[in-house]
Amino acid sequence: MYKKYCKGCHGEVLEEFRYKDVNEAVIDAIKSGRMPPWGIDEELSEDDIRELASYIGDWCNLCHKRIETNFTPRELVNAPPNHRFKLEHGNFWCFACHNPENRDTFLLVNGSAIPFNKSPELCRQCHAVIYKDWKMRIHGRWVGNISNPTPDVICVDCHNPHDVNPAFKPITPEKPPEKPPSPPIPISFQYFATAIMAFSLVLMLYSARK
Amino acid sequence: MKRRDFIKKVVMTSAIAPVASLRIPFVNVSIEELTQKHFKEMSEEEKKAVIERLEREYKERYGVDVNIKTTPAKEGVVWGYALNIKRCIGCRRCVYACVKENNQSRASPDDPTSNEIHWIRVLEVAQEKLEPGTEEQGIGTKFGDVVAGVVLEESEHYYDPEKVPEDGKMYIPIQCQQCEKPPCVKVCPTRATWKEPDGIIVVDYNWCIGCRYCMAACPYWARRFNWSWPYIPKEEINPNQHYLGNRIRYRGVVEKCTFCIQRTREGRYPACVEACPVGARKFGNLLDPNSEIRKIIREKRVFRLKEELGTEPKFFYFMD
């Protein structure tokens, strides 16, 4: 699995550097398709997922612990491909949401850090109205028991915050319904037959007048 | 039990049982089916006998073990539905989730007479047609055929673009509106269709004679007719069935959306609600002030289709 999806950019990883305690949050993220960000098309088995997760461990800190934080907003040219995009989400740069002290967390405006899986708390700071709708179960998909449903997806599953337009992406529709069967005699023929009858009627009347 | 009663019972059951399951020639109806009572008048035991018979019949015809329930409506529950037309993208996921859940007939590749049945129809409306027109154009005040400035007759049923949603298009899914004053129930000559205590309009497929009056009476075009025996591939049959809901229909009977009665009476959401990828479909108890449907009615801009007809639908369309 690592060879297929990660080795291309990240190179060989020695066995001893793999994580023994697999991070459950990482497994959740792979299962829901949030990780890796460009997505995996095939169905992964439980073992495949654990294998992938053992390479990931804690996410961003893996690299960012060793890199000096640069607070200047700039275009990221030398960064890995998943970091190279044009951010047009408000007038922000990375550290509006990401925590510069600990990259595996988000930073709220009030200064408190929250884990990745609590991301709706981050979104609600600006999108308070839609967050209220979501909490009231009017926005988003809720499944389970009607009297006590659970959210099937969270904000970032449908709205990619790094996209220029985070609206729901267009999808291919299912096939249209069957058209009702056409009449056994084509309608054009019915018109034709009516026209012939009318014409012969006119002829008959004309000859009768003579 | 007295000895006399016991003997009577043994004689009766042994004498009637084989006769009752015989089928009357030409009409192909068993005596059991012919003497079946109206569903609302059946006792629990009679219901059980009918269910047993139906399960046997479905096993014979389709070769599948099905489980038919007769779960009654819960107290203090009236179901309501809301659909966010600003969010709907017209992907038809709901249509096919419904077909799968409710055992609707598919188009058979071998049988040209088989008819495909969908309970949900998604209409595509061009947004420029949404502008409420002037009175000279007949839009805005004409009775019956105009909804919030939309002429439903001019909508597109068979749209098939590469990707949805398309720019300048709006999608209005239509299914049974579960009216509080249902015109379809009024016209049924055999009382084969009625409103349940939880507000769902149901059809007893064993009582329906297929006159299709209800289809003519419905202003929402919500009812469908089985012109042929339903064609469902054996492995696609949903075995969790309800007598009044998704059990497999017969030829010549009418069927309709029941808010997935087999799911909702067990506290689960209808299949279309769970299938909607954008979460535009909302469902809840109208009598519970904390349910999502009540919050939508309280806080959002809500309209109902053809409100002026006075059918009082329990299906609400809303916008953010």
Side-chain angles (χ1 to χ4, degrees):
Chain A
M1 277 295 124
Y2 178 83
K3 254 185 204 162
K4 193 166 171 189
Y5 290 110
C6 318
K7 202 186 154 196
C9 300
H10 292 272
E12 282 292 349
V13 169
L14 291 174
E15 196 61 34
E16 65 212 64
F17 285 113
R18 281 177 67 179
Y19 287 82
K20 301 280 177 311
D21 309 320
V22 180
N23 190 340
E24 289 300 323
V26 174
I27 290 180
D28 278 354
I30 296 174
K31 274 184 188 163
S32 68
R34 282 193 280 276
M35 183 89 187
W38 49 92
I40 289 175
D41 288 336
E42 62 178 323
E43 280 287 320
L44 294 181
S45 70
E46 198 71 28
D47 289 341
D48 290 342
I49 292 173
R50 291 198 90 82
E51 192 204 319
L52 269 185
S54 73
Y55 284 97
I56 300 171
D58 51 357
W59 302 340
C60 313
N61 277 339
L62 196 64
C63 302
H64 281 280
K65 262 192 299 197
R66 300 174 227 150
I67 303 172
E68 201 185 330
T69 308
N70 183 350
F71 286 91
T72 330
R74 65 196 182 281
E75 202 182 330
L76 303 172
V77 275
N78 292 325
N82 53 330
H83 290 50
R84 269 183 252 144
F85 51 83
K86 196 164 161 23
L87 185 71
E88 283 189 13
H89 192 147
N91 194 14
F92 297 141
W93 201 57
C94 313
F95 298 124
C97 305
H98 292 275
N99 186 358
E101 306 297 327
N102 176 3
R103 295 301 171 84
D104 285 341
T105 55
F106 290 129
L107 190 63
L108 296 185
V109 177
N110 65 11
S112 55
I114 53 162
F116 281 170
N117 58 0
K118 293 270 188 301
S119 65
E121 294 298 315
L122 185 78
C123 307
R124 76 182 282 196
Q125 298 177 116
C126 299
H127 306 282
V129 176
I130 214 82
Y131 178 84
K132 193 174 133 237
D133 275 0
W134 181 64
K135 272 284 164 196
M136 291 198 311
R137 313 194 291 271
I138 305 179
H139 184 92
R141 189 166 67 199
W142 290 71
V143 294
N145 196 301
I146 295 182
S147 51
N148 187 22
T150 48
D152 189 30
V153 286
I154 62 170
C155 319
V156 291
D157 286 325
C158 299
H159 310 291
N160 183 350
H162 300 140
D163 263 7
V164 175
N165 177 16
F168 194 87
K169 296 283 166 295
I171 54 174
T172 316
E174 299 272 354
K175 69 176 176 11
E178 217 175 40
K179 283 195 180 173
S182 50
I185 303 169
I187 294 210
S188 52
F189 180 77
Q190 288 176 13
Y191 286 141
F192 180 69
T194 320
I196 297 252
M197 276 162 68
F199 183 67
S200 49
L201 195 72
V202 169
L203 268 184
M204 272 164 62
L205 286 175
Y206 185 69
S207 53
R209 222 181 73 188
K210 265 188 179 173
Chain B
M1 191 186 284
K2 277 185 200 161
R3 188 162 160 264
R4 191 200 186 101
D5 287 348
F6 177 75
I7 291 168
K8 211 167 160 185
K9 205 171 177 184
V10 167
V11 171
M12 288 296 273
T13 45
S14 56
I16 286 180
V19 177
S21 59
L22 282 181
R23 301 190 89 79
I24 300 167
F26 303 113
V27 283
N28 198 21
V29 175
S30 69
I31 295 173
E32 273 172 307
E33 193 180 339
L34 207 63
T35 53
Q36 182 184 323
K37 275 192 193 165
H38 191 273
F39 184 77
K40 287 210 268 189
E41 292 172 351
M42 275 189 232
S43 67
E44 283 306 310
E45 273 148 45
E46 282 164 331
K47 277 182 193 171
K48 225 173 139 189
V50 168
I51 296 304
E52 261 170 39
R53 192 197 85 228
L54 289 174
E55 286 178 353
R56 201 173 61 231
E57 281 180 7
Y58 287 135
K59 175 85 184 161
E60 273 168 34
R61 183 173 271 277
Y62 297 97
V64 180
D65 288 308
V66 298
N67 173 25
I68 304 176
K69 277 174 262 171
T70 53
T71 324
K74 272 196 210 110
E75 287 275 317
V77 173
V78 171
W79 296 120
Y81 206 111
L83 200 151
N84 192 338
I85 46 167
K86 273 291 241 328
R87 301 246 175 256
C88 177
I89 56 170
C91 64
R92 295 204 188 94
R93 297 287 188 278
C94 49
V95 175
Y96 289 92
C98 172
V99 166
K100 214 171 141 200
E101 170 68 29
N102 290 300
N103 293 322
Q104 281 143 41
S105 176
R106 278 56 152 190
S108 160
D110 315 318
D111 182 8
T113 61
S114 67
N115 63 327
E116 183 187 78
I117 292 180
H118 291 172
W119 288 353
I120 305 174
R121 179 62 61 97
V122 188
L123 308 182
E124 183 194 74
V125 183
Q127 243 160 27
E128 71 244 20
K129 287 193 180 161
L130 284 180
E131 300 299 318
T134 57
E135 233 163 271
E136 289 87 67
Q137 291 170 317
I139 295 174
T141 55
K142 219 172 126 198
F143 190 76
D145 57 355
V146 174
V147 180
V150 184
V151 184
L152 291 177
E153 279 75 7
E154 287 178 16
S155 58
E156 174 59 49
H157 294 217
Y158 307 103
Y159 65 91
D160 194 17
E162 193 88 323
K163 294 269 176 192
V164 286
E166 284 188 297
D167 283 343
K169 295 281 164 60
M170 208 186 92
Y171 302 90
I172 310 178
I174 294 188
Q175 64 203 76
C176 178
Q177 311 278 311
Q178 314 286 1
C179 308
E180 201 49 28
K181 295 178 183 166
C184 52
V185 168
K186 277 187 210 163
V187 297
C188 182
T190 59
R191 298 199 185 172
T193 180
W194 66 89
K195 195 174 80 193
E196 284 279 292
D198 54 2
I200 300 175
I201 319 293
V202 294
V203 183
D204 184 343
Y205 313 116
N206 280 82
W207 272 66
C208 178
I209 55 168
C211 68
R212 303 199 286 139
Y213 282 15
C214 53
M215 290 174 75
C218 176
Y220 304 103
W221 192 62
R223 285 172 173 258
R224 303 286 185 273
F225 189 64
N226 284 280
W227 291 97
S228 56
W229 280 98
Y231 167 76
I232 313 167
K234 196 179 154 188
E235 62 283 356
E236 286 180 29
I237 292 176
N238 176 10
N240 298 320
Q241 302 180 357
H242 194 283
Y243 182 88
L244 300 171
N246 63 342
R247 72 185 167 100
I248 307 170
R249 272 71 66 180
Y250 306 97
R251 182 178 62 192
V253 301
V254 168
E255 60 181 79
K256 64 181 278 299
C257 161
T258 60
F259 282 170
C260 282
I261 199 164
Q262 70 282 0
R263 292 168 72 104
T264 49
R265 287 209 173 157
E266 280 166 13
R268 291 164 69 206
Y269 281 111
C272 49
V273 172
E274 289 199 349
C276 182
V278 294
R281 291 170 167 269
K282 298 290 159 204
F283 186 79
N285 181 3
L286 283 167
L287 301 182
D288 174 11
N290 294 320
S291 67
E292 48 257 60
I293 181 92
R294 282 284 290 271
K295 284 172 187 159
I296 288 164
I297 295 170
R298 207 157 51 219
E299 306 213 344
K300 303 287 179 188
R301 284 179 291 161
V302 172
F303 74 92
R304 297 186 281 184
L305 280 188
K306 303 194 182 181
E307 218 160 334
E308 68 279 15
L309 299 181
T311 54
E312 306 281 334
K314 291 193 286 293
F315 197 104
F316 300 86
Y317 293 85
F318 73 102
M319 284 157 276
D320 284 324

